[in-house]
Amino acid sequence: MIPRREDAMKMMGDYDRRRLLTAGGALGVGALVAAGVSAPAQAESVPCAMNPSAPYHVGYVVPDIERAMHDLGRAVGVEWNPVRDGRLGDWSYRIVFSRSGPLYTELIEGPEGSPWDPGEGPRCDHVGFWAGGIDTCSRRLVEKGYPLDFDARPYGRPWAYHRMPGLGLRIELVDISIQPEFLQTWNPGGATMPPLNC
């Protein structure tokens, strides 16, 4: 007999439940609270935060950012920062990150024709990694057969998307040099995160 989800979760310890819910869900503390997992002690480290090959966020493209925030917040308790307006070239967009991480949850509402075109509806769009050097990391992904899908460097932004056909989404490489700005904007006082070793 297969145990019900609730029974299976009760049989696990808090550490195992945290790993299960954060490793694949990108939902962070909200998912833990919804599952009845106690918050980790301040001194306890989260394994994925120390892994240089772990992503720091999962990005979703959505046609209605407020609705997506409401739905995810109501369903699993994700707490959000204020939505910010942005511009890249000719595209205006709206963006928000969850308050806690890593693993942060990012929502982007962009216009038609932009890198965040929601024409096919909401979707999991990309997984974001800090890169020790955006130029080197991006070049190495191309050499390994993961083509550049969108490059923000010509717009003065140190990040790029690469297509990952086996996952059906993109990998976003973000230069580690802007991590202090990211933390100041989205999680003041948050812990620094390691970059990929490219």
Side-chain angles (χ1 to χ4, degrees):
M1 178 174 168
I2 299 173
R4 294 181 338 183
R5 181 179 183 276
E6 295 83 16
D7 295 332
M9 293 299 277
K10 286 177 188 173
M11 291 188 290
M12 293 181 191
D14 280 355
Y15 175 77
D16 290 327
R17 283 183 282 185
R18 273 196 296 279
R19 286 186 52 199
L20 173 68
L21 291 166
T22 59
L27 300 176
V29 174
L32 299 174
V33 171
V37 178
S38 63
Q42 290 293 333
E44 182 180 345
S45 65
V46 178
C48 71
M50 302 308 295
N51 182 348
S53 64
Y56 78 96
H57 81 269
V58 174
Y60 297 87
V61 168
V62 297
D64 182 340
I65 203 165
E66 282 82 10
R67 180 176 179 188
M69 291 169 65
H70 172 78
D71 287 351
L72 200 50
R74 184 171 179 227
V76 294
V78 174
E79 295 181 359
W80 299 102
N81 283 290
V83 175
R84 295 179 177 260
D85 294 323
R87 186 159 189 83
L88 182 69
D90 294 333
W91 302 301
S92 294
Y93 62 92
R94 300 174 71 215
I95 186 171
V96 67
F97 277 87
S98 58
R99 286 191 182 157
S100 61
L103 195 60
Y104 294 92
T105 301
E106 175 190 36
L107 303 175
I108 305 174
E109 179 184 301
E112 184 177 324
S114 74
W116 316 283
D117 185 336
E120 296 180 19
R123 67 181 181 277
C124 182
D125 183 72
H126 63 270
V127 180
F129 294 84
W130 293 110
I134 185 70
D135 297 331
T136 301
C137 287
S138 184
R139 184 180 68 251
R140 289 198 177 147
L141 279 181
V142 169
E143 290 169 357
K144 291 178 180 181
Y146 303 109
L148 188 63
D149 189 66
F150 181 80
D151 191 348
R153 290 172 288 182
Y155 298 94
R157 308 278 182 86
W159 57 268
Y161 290 133
H162 287 263
R163 196 49 67 195
M164 300 294 288
L167 296 175
L169 51 78
R170 303 184 284 186
I171 283 188
E172 180 182 19
L173 297 176
V174 182
D175 196 89
I176 193 73
S177 65
I178 65 169
Q179 188 177 112
E181 179 184 345
F182 172 86
L183 288 170
Q184 181 61 37
T185 302
W186 301 110
N187 190 3
T192 59
M193 299 158 276
L196 284 175
N197 298 318
C198 298

